[in-house]
């Protein structure tokens, strides 16, 4: 039977993860905020449609993106 021994070593007095935690929290909040927007929800629905479904509706993916994003669409 094999045993694994680990040597205890001291870490820095103040771990860097504690310094990065607020930035990670802010980043997660911003992502959650962006994903909750109506535009993002519409884009997610659009990405689940196939090109054939869009053709059956008489539209293209590009025109739907322009419709959803309005003037801010830079394709």
């Amino acid at each position: 039977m094999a045993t694994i021994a680990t040597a205890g070593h001291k870490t820095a007095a103040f771990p860097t993860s504690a310094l990065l935690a607020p930035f990670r929290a802010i980043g997660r909040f911003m992502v959650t905020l962006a994903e909750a927007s109506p535009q993002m929800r519409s884009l997610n629905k659009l990405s689940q449609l196939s090109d054939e479904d869009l053709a059956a509706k008489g539209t293209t993916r590009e025109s739907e993106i322009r419709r959803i994003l309005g003037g801010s669409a830079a394709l």
Side-chain angles (χ1 to χ4, degrees):
M1 178 185 308
T3 4
I4 299 174
T6 59
H9 62 281
K10 293 192 174 213
T11 59
F14 194 74
T16 56
S17 63
L19 289 173
L20 296 176
F23 297 104
R24 288 187 185 123
I26 291 169
R28 282 192 298 267
F29 173 74
M30 291 176 71
V31 168
T32 302
L33 193 63
E35 288 176 346
S37 75
Q39 287 179 334
M40 190 65 181
R41 281 189 251 134
S42 296
L43 289 172
N44 282 336
K45 287 179 186 176
L46 176 63
S47 70
Q48 299 196 1
L49 292 174
S50 68
D51 289 335
E52 291 81 20
D53 294 337
L54 291 170
K57 291 182 179 182
T59 186
T60 64
R61 192 168 305 276
E62 291 171 3
S63 65
E64 283 297 299
I65 291 172
R66 288 184 197 281
R67 182 189 63 79
I68 292 169
L69 296 179
S72 63
L75 293 177

